[in-house]
Amino acid sequence: MRIAVLLSAGRHPVSGAPVLPRLEAQAIRLAVGLGEAHEVVGLHAGPDAAAVAEGLGQGLARIEHLTVAAEADPVPALAARLAALAPDLILAGRRGQGGPETGLVPYGLAEALDLPLIPDVIGLAPEAADRLSLDQSLGRGARRRVILGGPVLATVHPDAPAPLAYAYGRARRGAFEPVAVAPVEVSPGLAAEAGALPAIEERPYRRRPKLVKGAPAGGSAAERLKAATGEAGASAGGRLLVQPDPDEAAREILAYLRQVGVLAAPRPTDDPR
Amino acid sequence: MTRPRRDPRAERAALLVATGEGTRPRLDRTVRRDGGGRLRRDPRRERDGQRVPGVLRPRYDLSQVSRPEAGPVHEAPRTVQAPVPTVVVLDAPAFLVLVVPDAAGGRLTPHDRQVLGAARVLAGREGGVAILAPGTCEGSGPAGADRLVRLDDKGGDALGDCDPGGYDPAGRAALVAEAIAELSPRHVLFPESPDGGDLARRVAVRLRQPLFSDVEAVAAGSIARPAHGRRVEQRTAPGLLVTLAADAVAEYAGPPREAREIPVRIETLARAAPAILSATTIPADPATVPLGLASFVAAAGSGVTDLATFREVVAALHATPGASRVLCDAGLMPRSSQVGASGTVLAATCYVALGISGAPQHLQGVAGCEHVVAVNTDLHAAMIERAGLAIVQDAQAVMPALLRLLTQDAGPTRDAP
Ligand SMILES: Cc1cc2nc3c(=O)[nH]c(=O)nc-3n(C[C@H](O)[C@H](O)[C@H](O)COP(=O)(O)OP(=O)(O)OC[C@H]3O[C@@H](n4cnc5c(N)ncnc54)[C@H](O)[C@@H]3O)c2cc1C
């Protein structure tokens, strides 16, 4: 199987220094973790590949660098190269880090290459007959196992296994290959509409006051405090049972948990299973 | 100014009352002695004298003199009007703002309500908010929707989130794109949730429209989102496709709207053979899910001495085990199970606290839990006060009872898992 991992030039969320985004390092780990038999290649489109060179130390053997101007849309160049490579699996982060951060690149690529896109993947396993099983995170630890045949584009979820440790030797051995990009004409697609976009004004980020859940709009500070400490929620003014019989207490607890919906209803006694 | 000299002896004598066999001090000292002494103040009466007659508010005149002898202000009978919820009806909206909620299981999530609130802001007075709902979607009127568009006309779950096997995000995006083309709304809002964000991006590439994602501030004419690692804020006039970050915009709080159902005709799409061969949902294993992600946590404190039974109860309840710091410090429970300020802050919907006193550091970890059950021998424990169901009883007695009941409920042929 041939796997392509899309790498972006990210910025560290705190320091702003160029780094490989963590999600993409996790994507490398997922790809490399499938074993030696699979060919894994990193792909970066951008003016400069210094940031993604870290990917070599994180487990990639080879990174292809498509030189694209900083402001240009990377999707056409990536799509052209991926069409030539024809990988069976393309892994990407959920969204860039330090750039516009809209997360549209994987979707644009999936559309351009006409591939199915599976978001939020946390695990991979090849199946028989060239099929691929992908585990998708549904939040709260639940997963969805999706089985596909044929090539697929997947984005990685932060709950995927942690990235491999950076290894200096591996980074030295890894190969960096610049790939010439044919200048792509601006297709009458996303880019055309971008001209018609309302102007975007940029200013320094301003933190906004956090919304207090459950506080009434226009309420007083005391009400907001109550809502924030959980005193005004459903559990305010709850039921109190003093020295009940333990069995009675247990029945009450189970009834409450079932009413809340965290415990399944009792199984009927004549259930065959 | 000189004060009159007090004569304690005379004051004491004045307090004596004559009884049958001599004198005793007067016990009721509220009755005023005749002559001398300062007037006893009645603050309640003074405050009443300072109120504006008729209205129940104090006078705002700061130079006012308190008139203690002013009689109680005659109280106008307060007409308590039950607020009549008048449904706002918008007959011909100038434009539509479409909301595509997650509505997992047909119910609006808090995030969906916030998106409706933002849509209401964008719609203003003339515009109407339409919700693209899978099914009836109860409560969309009070949440701010003027119109309701049902997408499930054909085959039950066209939006397909009831059936885990029917995972077809591309098909759903196609359906939503069709509905957008049909309704031609001015703006379309999605929640920036795992599903909503995915759907919005699919729709964006399908319609070849730019997407303004993760919006954190919404005003009538402009919306703003963070970018470049939260270093800058991008502000623009709202375009067609917008996704809204969670907990950024308040829910709609005005009078309920009508949520009138409008029909839309969507041609049956010629669907390509889906690439997804099968999709199965694997529920989270409560025993191994990280504490911060768990939805149901049962925790033990130092009031629990029988930890073996506690573990059995947790397994039978299908809960994730937690503990107070005391147990973790003692090495009785792993550190990863510590709930509280220096442990894990929970995001659970339900929390069961067995023998936990509810120290402030512990309660901080539970602040986000909607439902709390507490079992404690101490009626005055803070956890009992916090709980929605509080049981003052020995945890060592309640746990076996729980276990017995759960085993019984699990059926005769199967032991408690
Ligand atoms: C800086 C700092 C950080 C901290 N961070 C945390 C934290 O993150 N998490 C945390 O949990 N603690 C934390 N603590 C500790 C916290 O202050 C409390 O000491 C701790 O939470 C108390 O744990 P507990 O409720 O289990 O024990 P106790 O306070 O001893 O309470 C035991 C309770 O069990 C009841 N009980 C006794 N016997 C029974 C019985 N047979 N049946 C039923 N009930 C019974 C008692 O009535 C009592 O209410 C922190 C403290 C400090 C100073």
Side-chain angles (χ1 to χ4, degrees), chain B residues 300-305 323-327 338-344 354-362 375-378 381 393-396:
Chain B
S302 53
V304 172
T305 48
S324 78
R325 181 163 174 170
V326 177
L327 290 197
Q338 180 182 324
V339 174
S342 51
T344 307
L354 301 164
I356 294 179
S357 61
Q361 295 92 355
H362 189 87
V375 179
N376 199 312
T377 43
D378 177 10
Q393 183 54 277
D394 191 342
Q396 263 63 241

Side-chain angles (χ1 to χ4, degrees), chain B residues 28-119:
Chain B
D28 177 15
R29 307 254 168 116
T30 58
V31 181
R32 257 183 64 207
R33 284 171 291 139
D34 319 325
R38 276 196 287 165
L39 284 178
R40 201 185 168 82
R41 292 182 57 190
D42 180 353
R44 254 173 276 245
R45 232 159 119 197
E46 276 172 28
R47 269 205 299 278
D48 278 344
Q50 287 170 342
R51 284 183 190 278
V52 177
V55 200
L56 285 171
R57 66 161 176 85
R59 248 180 322 137
Y60 296 137
D61 175 9
L62 295 181
S63 67
Q64 63 183 335
V65 216
S66 73
R67 289 160 299 163
E69 295 313 320
V73 174
H74 74 282
E75 224 169 276
R78 219 167 159 202
T79 45
V80 182
Q81 289 175 336
V84 185
T86 41
V87 175
V88 181
V89 176
L90 201 65
D91 273 322
F95 58 92
L96 278 184
V97 179
L98 190 64
V99 169
V100 187
D102 281 343
R107 269 198 308 189
L108 293 178
T109 62
H111 197 170
D112 290 338
R113 285 174 202 284
Q114 291 161 7
V115 177
L116 277 165

Side-chain angles (χ1 to χ4, degrees), chain A residues 13 35 57 74 76 96 101 117 125 154 172 180 195 199 231 239 261:
Chain A
E101 299 173 358
L117 187 144
R172 289 293 303 264
E231 282 170 38
R239 288 190 61 198

